[in-house]
Amino acid sequence: MYNKVTPDIVDALRRIVGEGNVLVGDEDMEPYAHDETVGLRANPEVVVRATSAEQVSEIFKLAQRERIPVTPRGAGYGLSGGAVPVYGGIVLSLEKMNRILEIDKENLMVTVEPGVITGDIHRAVEAEGLFYPPDPASLDSCSIGGNIAECAGGPRAVKYGVTRHYVCGLEAVLPSGEIITCGGKLVKNVTGYDLIQLIIGSEGTLAVVTKIILRLLPLPKVQVDLLVPYDDFQAAANTVSAIIARRILPTTIEFMERDSILAVERLLQKEVPYHDAAAHLLIQLDGNRWEAVEADFEEVAELCLEYGARDVLVAKDRPTRDRLWEARRMIIEALNHESPVNHMEDVVVPRSEIPPLLKGIKEIARKYGVRIINFGHAGDGNVHVNVLKDDIPDDRWEALVPAVAEEIYRLTLSLGGMITGEHGVGATRRRYLPLALDETQIELMRRIRAVFDPNHILNPGKIFP
C-alpha cells in the first residue's frame, strides 16, 4: 500500500527543510517512535522537523508523489498512540514551530504556532491580565497543536469547556499540500461549513495545523480551592449533583479514590491529608469579586458537610492551593512508579453515572484479578481508569487488557457514556469504535476522511478499525 523512504526521498526532504532538520539515525529517531502510551511504539523511516506551512506543504506534495505515509507529531504527550508511526514512513514534527506570534489585547485573541507548549501560552497571556482556560494535565509539556488534534480538556472543562470552544481561526495544510485559512479573529462566523470544528479532534487525520487563533478571557482575580474528604464515594457524587443543582458552577470538580492517594503517598514518601478517606473532591472556584467567590465557597462547603464530608480544607493563597493540588497532579507519575506497565482508559459518562461506573469497574477488577485505580473529572463525568500490570505474567497481561478494556467500554456505554472523553481513539481504541458508533456514522466519517486524503497518506492506522 505504501512505498519505502529511499535515499533520494531523504535528500529531497533535506532540500525542503535543511540538513539539520532531517533525522535518519536510529538513536536520533527513537524519541519519535512512541508517545506516552505504555507499550506502543513503531519506528519511523525518517523524521522531518518543519518550520513553516510552506515546508509542510512541500513535504506533503513529495509524500503524495511517492506514496509515503506521514505521521504528524507535536510534543509526543498523547495517550492513544496518535503520534506513533504505525506504518513507518515520515514523522512530521512541528516542535520547531513554537512561536507565540501575537497577543491581541484589543480583540482578546492570541495567535500561536502548533509547537508552542500550552503552559507557555497560559503564562504569556496571564502576564497581560488575560486567560486561556483549557488546562490538560500535561500542560507544561504538551503542545497546543496536539491539544487541537485531540480536543484536549482538563480540570477546568466543567466551567470553561474544552479546546474547541476557544479556537477561532486555523491555518492548515491538507494532505494534497494545499494551504487553507479558516476563520480569524471572529467571535461569530457561520460562513459555510465549520471546517475548524471538523479539524479539531480529528487526531491529525484530516490536515496538519500550522497556525492557531485562540479566544481569550479576562483573567479571574480571585481563586479558592477546597479539598474535601469522604468516607463514601456515593456521598461525594451526591455532593457534586447538589452543587450543580444550586446553580453554582465551580471551575473544577476533581475526584480521587483512596488507592490513588495512597500511591502518591508512596511516591512522595509523605502523608497526604485524610489519606484514609474513601474519596476526595478537589473543588476550585474563581471570579472577579472576593465577596461573590466567598459566598460560593461557603455555600459549597456547607453542602459538602451536609452530604457527609469529613472536613473541608480551604486554600486561598497560591502556595496553599499548590499543596492541595500536589496529590492530584502526581497521580499519573505515582501509578507509573507503582507499575511501569499499565493501561489507561478515559471513559466519559453523565456525571450522575460516575458511582455505578466505578462500582462496575471494581467488579471487573475482581473478576479478572487485576488492580484498577480511578481518578478524574467529577464535574464533567470523565474518569481515568488505570489498569496496573504489577506482577502479572506477560502472556496473561496481553490477553487480559483487551478483555478488561472491552468490558469497561460496554459498561460505560450502558450508562449513556462514550469510550474516550479527551485522549482520543488513536491506534489503541480503534478496534472498539464499532461498540460506540453505528456503521452509518463510521462510514460517513470514512468518507469525510477520504475527501481530505484520498490516498490515505496522513496518519494512517488511527481512529478507524
Side-chain angles (χ1 to χ4, degrees), residues 140-164:
D140 284 321
S141 306
C142 65
S143 68
I144 189 66
N147 294 176
I148 297 290
E150 302 295 336
C151 192
R156 291 197 291 237
V158 60
K159 179 175 182 178
Y160 290 108
V162 297
T163 300
R164 70 168 65 254

PDB file of all heavy atoms in Angstrom, residues 140-164:
ATOM      1  N   ASP A 140       2.407  21.663  30.923  1.00  0.00           N
ATOM      2  CA  ASP A 140       3.772  22.169  30.865  1.00  0.00           C
ATOM      3  C   ASP A 140       4.664  21.337  29.943  1.00  0.00           C
ATOM      4  O   ASP A 140       5.868  21.601  29.840  1.00  0.00           O
ATOM      5  CB  ASP A 140       4.388  22.220  32.267  1.00  0.00           C
ATOM      6  CG  ASP A 140       3.859  23.406  33.080  1.00  0.00           C
ATOM      7  OD1 ASP A 140       3.690  24.491  32.489  1.00  0.00           O
ATOM      8  OD2 ASP A 140       3.591  23.233  34.279  1.00  0.00           O
ATOM      9  N   SER A 141       4.079  20.361  29.277  1.00  0.00           N
ATOM     10  CA  SER A 141       4.830  19.510  28.345  1.00  0.00           C
ATOM     11  C   SER A 141       4.163  19.390  26.987  1.00  0.00           C
ATOM     12  O   SER A 141       4.848  19.298  25.964  1.00  0.00           O
ATOM     13  CB  SER A 141       5.003  18.105  28.937  1.00  0.00           C
ATOM     14  OG  SER A 141       5.580  18.135  30.218  1.00  0.00           O
ATOM     15  N   CYS A 142       2.837  19.393  26.956  1.00  0.00           N
ATOM     16  CA  CYS A 142       2.123  19.165  25.697  1.00  0.00           C
ATOM     17  C   CYS A 142       2.079  20.434  24.860  1.00  0.00           C
ATOM     18  O   CYS A 142       2.214  21.548  25.370  1.00  0.00           O
ATOM     19  CB  CYS A 142       0.714  18.652  25.961  1.00  0.00           C
ATOM     20  SG  CYS A 142      -0.364  19.826  26.815  1.00  0.00           S
ATOM     21  N   SER A 143       1.878  20.275  23.561  1.00  0.00           N
ATOM     22  CA  SER A 143       1.829  21.414  22.644  1.00  0.00           C
ATOM     23  C   SER A 143       0.390  21.730  22.275  1.00  0.00           C
ATOM     24  O   SER A 143      -0.489  20.864  22.285  1.00  0.00           O
ATOM     25  CB  SER A 143       2.639  21.122  21.381  1.00  0.00           C
ATOM     26  OG  SER A 143       2.020  20.099  20.620  1.00  0.00           O
ATOM     27  N   ILE A 144       0.161  22.987  21.897  1.00  0.00           N
ATOM     28  CA  ILE A 144      -1.188  23.411  21.533  1.00  0.00           C
ATOM     29  C   ILE A 144      -1.661  22.699  20.264  1.00  0.00           C
ATOM     30  O   ILE A 144      -2.854  22.415  20.113  1.00  0.00           O
ATOM     31  CB  ILE A 144      -1.252  24.945  21.374  1.00  0.00           C
ATOM     32  CG1 ILE A 144      -2.698  25.414  21.202  1.00  0.00           C
ATOM     33  CG2 ILE A 144      -0.383  25.422  20.227  1.00  0.00           C
ATOM     34  CD1 ILE A 144      -3.571  25.193  22.424  1.00  0.00           C
ATOM     35  N   GLY A 145      -0.743  22.338  19.366  1.00  0.00           N
ATOM     36  CA  GLY A 145      -1.148  21.590  18.180  1.00  0.00           C
ATOM     37  C   GLY A 145      -1.706  20.230  18.538  1.00  0.00           C
ATOM     38  O   GLY A 145      -2.710  19.783  17.964  1.00  0.00           O
ATOM     39  N   GLY A 146      -1.075  19.556  19.505  1.00  0.00           N
ATOM     40  CA  GLY A 146      -1.606  18.288  19.991  1.00  0.00           C
ATOM     41  C   GLY A 146      -2.947  18.463  20.668  1.00  0.00           C
ATOM     42  O   GLY A 146      -3.843  17.625  20.531  1.00  0.00           O
ATOM     43  N   ASN A 147      -3.099  19.558  21.418  1.00  0.00           N
ATOM     44  CA  ASN A 147      -4.398  19.859  22.039  1.00  0.00           C
ATOM     45  C   ASN A 147      -5.486  20.012  20.994  1.00  0.00           C
ATOM     46  O   ASN A 147      -6.625  19.569  21.187  1.00  0.00           O
ATOM     47  CB  ASN A 147      -4.320  21.146  22.853  1.00  0.00           C
ATOM     48  CG  ASN A 147      -3.424  21.069  24.071  1.00  0.00           C
ATOM     49  OD1 ASN A 147      -3.233  22.069  24.754  1.00  0.00           O
ATOM     50  ND2 ASN A 147      -2.844  19.918  24.353  1.00  0.00           N
ATOM     51  N   ILE A 148      -5.154  20.677  19.875  1.00  0.00           N
ATOM     52  CA  ILE A 148      -6.114  20.835  18.778  1.00  0.00           C
ATOM     53  C   ILE A 148      -6.470  19.464  18.197  1.00  0.00           C
ATOM     54  O   ILE A 148      -7.644  19.144  17.964  1.00  0.00           O
ATOM     55  CB  ILE A 148      -5.531  21.735  17.669  1.00  0.00           C
ATOM     56  CG1 ILE A 148      -5.254  23.151  18.182  1.00  0.00           C
ATOM     57  CG2 ILE A 148      -6.459  21.767  16.454  1.00  0.00           C
ATOM     58  CD1 ILE A 148      -6.454  23.977  18.484  1.00  0.00           C
ATOM     59  N   ALA A 149      -5.463  18.641  17.963  1.00  0.00           N
ATOM     60  CA  ALA A 149      -5.697  17.329  17.344  1.00  0.00           C
ATOM     61  C   ALA A 149      -6.609  16.452  18.190  1.00  0.00           C
ATOM     62  O   ALA A 149      -7.440  15.713  17.659  1.00  0.00           O
ATOM     63  CB  ALA A 149      -4.359  16.629  17.108  1.00  0.00           C
ATOM     64  N   GLU A 150      -6.461  16.522  19.517  1.00  0.00           N
ATOM     65  CA  GLU A 150      -7.239  15.654  20.405  1.00  0.00           C
ATOM     66  C   GLU A 150      -8.431  16.364  21.030  1.00  0.00           C
ATOM     67  O   GLU A 150      -9.195  15.737  21.764  1.00  0.00           O
ATOM     68  CB  GLU A 150      -6.330  15.130  21.533  1.00  0.00           C
ATOM     69  CG  GLU A 150      -5.119  14.358  21.051  1.00  0.00           C
ATOM     70  CD  GLU A 150      -5.491  13.066  20.349  1.00  0.00           C
ATOM     71  OE1 GLU A 150      -6.591  12.538  20.608  1.00  0.00           O
ATOM     72  OE2 GLU A 150      -4.695  12.573  19.543  1.00  0.00           O
ATOM     73  N   CYS A 151      -8.581  17.663  20.796  1.00  0.00           N
ATOM     74  CA  CYS A 151      -9.576  18.473  21.506  1.00  0.00           C
ATOM     75  C   CYS A 151      -9.418  18.278  23.008  1.00  0.00           C
ATOM     76  O   CYS A 151     -10.322  17.818  23.713  1.00  0.00           O
ATOM     77  CB  CYS A 151     -11.002  18.161  21.076  1.00  0.00           C
ATOM     78  SG  CYS A 151     -12.187  19.398  21.707  1.00  0.00           S
ATOM     79  N   ALA A 152      -8.231  18.619  23.512  1.00  0.00           N
ATOM     80  CA  ALA A 152      -7.890  18.385  24.910  1.00  0.00           C
ATOM     81  C   ALA A 152      -8.816  19.162  25.843  1.00  0.00           C
ATOM     82  O   ALA A 152      -9.324  20.228  25.501  1.00  0.00           O
ATOM     83  CB  ALA A 152      -6.431  18.794  25.149  1.00  0.00           C
ATOM     84  N   GLY A 153      -8.994  18.603  27.029  1.00  0.00           N
ATOM     85  CA  GLY A 153      -9.830  19.237  28.041  1.00  0.00           C
ATOM     86  C   GLY A 153      -9.003  19.640  29.240  1.00  0.00           C
ATOM     87  O   GLY A 153      -8.104  20.460  29.151  1.00  0.00           O
ATOM     88  N   GLY A 154      -9.289  19.006  30.380  1.00  0.00           N
ATOM     89  CA  GLY A 154      -8.599  19.324  31.612  1.00  0.00           C
ATOM     90  C   GLY A 154      -9.584  19.622  32.723  1.00  0.00           C
ATOM     91  O   GLY A 154     -10.807  19.674  32.501  1.00  0.00           O
ATOM     92  N   PRO A 155      -9.086  19.824  33.945  1.00  0.00           N
ATOM     93  CA  PRO A 155      -9.973  20.036  35.088  1.00  0.00           C
ATOM     94  C   PRO A 155     -10.937  21.210  34.940  1.00  0.00           C
ATOM     95  O   PRO A 155     -12.059  21.165  35.441  1.00  0.00           O
ATOM     96  CB  PRO A 155      -8.991  20.278  36.250  1.00  0.00           C
ATOM     97  CG  PRO A 155      -7.750  19.542  35.853  1.00  0.00           C
ATOM     98  CD  PRO A 155      -7.675  19.697  34.364  1.00  0.00           C
ATOM     99  N   ARG A 156     -10.529  22.285  34.246  1.00  0.00           N
ATOM    100  CA  ARG A 156     -11.384  23.471  34.172  1.00  0.00           C
ATOM    101  C   ARG A 156     -12.516  23.325  33.160  1.00  0.00           C
ATOM    102  O   ARG A 156     -13.310  24.256  32.966  1.00  0.00           O
ATOM    103  CB  ARG A 156     -10.541  24.710  33.837  1.00  0.00           C
ATOM    104  CG  ARG A 156      -9.611  25.105  34.975  1.00  0.00           C
ATOM    105  CD  ARG A 156      -9.068  26.513  34.852  1.00  0.00           C
ATOM    106  NE  ARG A 156      -8.128  26.712  33.776  1.00  0.00           N
ATOM    107  CZ  ARG A 156      -6.887  27.179  33.937  1.00  0.00           C
ATOM    108  NH1 ARG A 156      -6.417  27.440  35.157  1.00  0.00           N
ATOM    109  NH2 ARG A 156      -6.093  27.370  32.904  1.00  0.00           N
ATOM    110  N   ALA A 157     -12.624  22.154  32.510  1.00  0.00           N
ATOM    111  CA  ALA A 157     -13.656  21.972  31.478  1.00  0.00           C
ATOM    112  C   ALA A 157     -15.059  22.102  32.039  1.00  0.00           C
ATOM    113  O   ALA A 157     -15.981  22.515  31.325  1.00  0.00           O
ATOM    114  CB  ALA A 157     -13.488  20.616  30.798  1.00  0.00           C
ATOM    115  N   VAL A 158     -15.266  21.778  33.315  1.00  0.00           N
ATOM    116  CA  VAL A 158     -16.617  21.812  33.877  1.00  0.00           C
ATOM    117  C   VAL A 158     -17.216  23.207  33.785  1.00  0.00           C
ATOM    118  O   VAL A 158     -18.412  23.366  33.530  1.00  0.00           O
ATOM    119  CB  VAL A 158     -16.610  21.303  35.339  1.00  0.00           C
ATOM    120  CG1 VAL A 158     -15.734  22.144  36.241  1.00  0.00           C
ATOM    121  CG2 VAL A 158     -18.027  21.258  35.889  1.00  0.00           C
ATOM    122  N   LYS A 159     -16.397  24.243  33.926  1.00  0.00           N
ATOM    123  CA  LYS A 159     -16.905  25.616  33.827  1.00  0.00           C
ATOM    124  C   LYS A 159     -16.601  26.250  32.482  1.00  0.00           C
ATOM    125  O   LYS A 159     -17.450  26.950  31.911  1.00  0.00           O
ATOM    126  CB  LYS A 159     -16.303  26.479  34.937  1.00  0.00           C
ATOM    127  CG  LYS A 159     -16.764  27.939  34.896  1.00  0.00           C
ATOM    128  CD  LYS A 159     -16.243  28.737  36.081  1.00  0.00           C
ATOM    129  CE  LYS A 159     -16.751  30.172  36.048  1.00  0.00           C
ATOM    130  NZ  LYS A 159     -16.296  30.954  37.222  1.00  0.00           N
ATOM    131  N   TYR A 160     -15.401  26.000  31.952  1.00  0.00           N
ATOM    132  CA  TYR A 160     -14.940  26.766  30.802  1.00  0.00           C
ATOM    133  C   TYR A 160     -14.942  26.007  29.480  1.00  0.00           C
ATOM    134  O   TYR A 160     -14.684  26.589  28.432  1.00  0.00           O
ATOM    135  CB  TYR A 160     -13.533  27.293  31.074  1.00  0.00           C
ATOM    136  CG  TYR A 160     -13.478  28.378  32.117  1.00  0.00           C
ATOM    137  CD1 TYR A 160     -12.960  28.140  33.377  1.00  0.00           C
ATOM    138  CD2 TYR A 160     -13.964  29.650  31.840  1.00  0.00           C
ATOM    139  CE1 TYR A 160     -12.902  29.145  34.343  1.00  0.00           C
ATOM    140  CE2 TYR A 160     -13.918  30.661  32.794  1.00  0.00           C
ATOM    141  CZ  TYR A 160     -13.385  30.395  34.040  1.00  0.00           C
ATOM    142  OH  TYR A 160     -13.340  31.384  34.990  1.00  0.00           O
ATOM    143  N   GLY A 161     -15.208  24.695  29.516  1.00  0.00           N
ATOM    144  CA  GLY A 161     -15.218  23.951  28.267  1.00  0.00           C
ATOM    145  C   GLY A 161     -13.838  23.439  27.874  1.00  0.00           C
ATOM    146  O   GLY A 161     -12.882  23.476  28.664  1.00  0.00           O
ATOM    147  N   VAL A 162     -13.729  22.967  26.634  1.00  0.00           N
ATOM    148  CA  VAL A 162     -12.510  22.314  26.154  1.00  0.00           C
ATOM    149  C   VAL A 162     -11.911  23.124  25.002  1.00  0.00           C
ATOM    150  O   VAL A 162     -12.392  24.206  24.659  1.00  0.00           O
ATOM    151  CB  VAL A 162     -12.819  20.871  25.718  1.00  0.00           C
ATOM    152  CG1 VAL A 162     -13.299  20.047  26.906  1.00  0.00           C
ATOM    153  CG2 VAL A 162     -13.877  20.839  24.599  1.00  0.00           C
ATOM    154  N   THR A 163     -10.862  22.593  24.404  1.00  0.00           N
ATOM    155  CA  THR A 163     -10.098  23.337  23.398  1.00  0.00           C
ATOM    156  C   THR A 163     -10.980  23.894  22.290  1.00  0.00           C
ATOM    157  O   THR A 163     -10.822  25.053  21.874  1.00  0.00           O
ATOM    158  CB  THR A 163      -9.009  22.433  22.795  1.00  0.00           C
ATOM    159  OG1 THR A 163      -8.125  22.011  23.845  1.00  0.00           O
ATOM    160  CG2 THR A 163      -8.207  23.176  21.751  1.00  0.00           C
ATOM    161  N   ARG A 164     -11.921  23.109  21.774  1.00  0.00           N
ATOM    162  CA  ARG A 164     -12.706  23.540  20.611  1.00  0.00           C
ATOM    163  C   ARG A 164     -13.505  24.808  20.894  1.00  0.00           C
ATOM    164  O   ARG A 164     -13.865  25.525  19.976  1.00  0.00           O
ATOM    165  CB  ARG A 164     -13.628  22.426  20.129  1.00  0.00           C
ATOM    166  CG  ARG A 164     -14.787  22.084  21.007  1.00  0.00           C
ATOM    167  CD  ARG A 164     -15.788  21.177  20.279  1.00  0.00           C
ATOM    168  NE  ARG A 164     -15.239  19.873  19.960  1.00  0.00           N
ATOM    169  CZ  ARG A 164     -14.874  19.510  18.736  1.00  0.00           C
ATOM    170  NH1 ARG A 164     -14.983  20.360  17.721  1.00  0.00           N
ATOM    171  NH2 ARG A 164     -14.402  18.298  18.515  1.00  0.00           N
TER     172      ARG A 164
END
